[in-house]
């Protein structure tokens, strides 16, 4: 459970000090601005992550 939270914290959760980017954000990766938004449940639905569908 702790490992899943650490993955969310470092790989997805926005950080204000990093201009709303997570610590593991790749600056070279372009984020798509179009397409359907999907939800991924983390920690049994306690946290939700949102991303664009591929």
């Amino acid at each position: 459970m702790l490992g899943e939270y650490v993955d969310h914290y470092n790989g997805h959760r926005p950080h204000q000090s990093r201009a709303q980017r997570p610590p593991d954000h790749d600056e070279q990766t372009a984020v798509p601005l179009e397409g359907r938004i999907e939800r991924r449940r983390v920690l049994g639905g306690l946290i939700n992550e949102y991303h664009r569908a591929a």
Side-chain angles (χ1 to χ4, degrees):
M1 191 184 261
L2 184 58
E4 191 173 359
Y5 179 76
V6 168
D7 290 342
H8 165 74
Y9 187 86
N10 290 325
H12 186 80
R13 181 182 173 272
H15 293 251
Q16 284 186 331
S17 64
R18 303 201 72 234
Q20 298 301 73
R21 292 182 307 263
D24 291 344
H25 177 73
D26 182 9
E27 298 293 332
Q28 302 301 320
T29 304
V31 177
L33 299 177
E34 295 181 8
R36 193 176 77 242
I37 296 175
E38 294 182 345
R39 177 182 67 168
R40 177 177 166 250
R41 297 175 73 193
V42 179
L43 295 173
L46 195 60
I47 298 173
N48 294 304
E49 293 179 351
Y50 298 91
H51 63 276
R52 296 278 179 186

